[in-house]
Amino acid sequence: MSKCNYQVLKNEEGILRLPELDDPSIVRYVDSAEDQNFGYLCLQLCEYTLEYIRNKDAGPWIKKLVCQVLDSLKVLHSQKILHRDLKPQNVLIDVKGKARLADFGISRRLPKGQTTLRTGSAGTKCWMASETLEEETNTPYKSNTDIQVAGMLIYYMLSGGHHPFGDDFRCECNIVDGKYNLDQVKDVLAQDLIEWMIDSKPEQRPKVEECLKHPFFWLDDRRVEYLRRVGNRDEASNCRKANQELVNSLEQCAGDASKEWKHKFPQELVQKMDGKRKSYPENTLGLLRFIRNLHEHYIKDAAQVDLMTLFPDLFGRVYKFAKNQGWNSVTPLKQMFTKDVTPSFVASSTGPEENLGVPVQESHLT
């Protein structure tokens, strides 16, 4: 880097040399040098930037990258470091397919005991938070400033390279006005997470730890447990005589997720559980109660049923409905949101994580 920008380089070097950032989620510092005209940083060689995912299908490997990006931000925020320049070009993919956060030239560490840093506006066009765009001087930066831009980045990843606030010249105006469109991402849970992160009100945005606990990252066994707990609520136990307004509202939210659900289970199992009384109405509330009783009283049969394959959209739809009803904020569902994402999501995409125990070296070049 030219010495006219030398302070940016030295700032990045200072951050990367912190022992706390010797982490699989952060690009690794190797060496530094300088001559009469330039300063140099030698960093870990990676394969490509996140721009690689343009027009790629959002398969399971993309979800892993999303989780890895959030995990890298968690590492920064745990050390009170604000990145301030999140964008696709600053997420690198290493030789093992793992995402690593890079480019800390304008990153800053919060002063001890403070949660806000005020500086001039910094960042890249269309990859800046709403509060950053509104104030050019004395701009407030907090951890939730990074979170909004990380939400834009997640949408970019899951949509194959699109921006939630638009891909044209109106993008920054839309960020300030809070006008977004998530139509390129069909996953209800992904939409819910992104909407939370890109909220125009900074205080409404989640912390990165809360992002990693979001149901978008849950594995199937945890999703089934959630459905079982919903099926244990009084509304579901009384499914045959449930409030019709509640039933209609749930059906509207579920759409086709539970349509003709009895025909999707082995018929002998339905007959065994339903009996002559036809205990379970063929609506979503009836299905949730059926799931609860299946896992409560017919454990061996439950082990033979892959609920997530039979009803791929059910969990997301029920989660959204329960959230709107306030059910997720009370016991026993509340406890489902207290655990971090499973470590398998932040592991390397193609193999075990490399050993990062490489000592930091001092260059003797001048």
Side-chain angles (χ1 to χ4, degrees), residues 28-30 356-362:
R28 187 172 67 245
Y29 168 82
V30 178
L356 296 180
V358 179
V360 172
Q361 303 177 26
E362 286 288 350

Side-chain angles (χ1 to χ4, degrees), residues 198-222:
I198 65 174
D199 196 300
S200 59
K201 297 179 180 178
E203 66 275 10
Q204 297 294 334
R205 299 171 199 155
K207 295 180 179 179
V208 67
E209 292 84 359
E210 293 176 302
C211 295
L212 285 167
K213 294 173 185 175
H214 191 276
F216 175 65
F217 299 112
W218 290 6
L219 298 181
D220 285 354
D221 57 347
R222 196 166 171 187

Side-chain angles (χ1 to χ4, degrees), residues 30-58:
V30 178
D31 204 354
S32 64
E34 61 180 273
D35 58 25
Q36 185 176 355
N37 300 310
F38 298 97
Y40 306 88
L41 279 184
C42 179
L43 306 176
Q44 170 190 16
L45 178 64
C46 290
E47 298 298 295
Y48 43 84
T49 75
L50 201 55
E51 293 174 296
Y52 173 80
I53 59 90
R54 276 187 177 273
N55 303 316
K56 296 287 192 301
D57 292 332

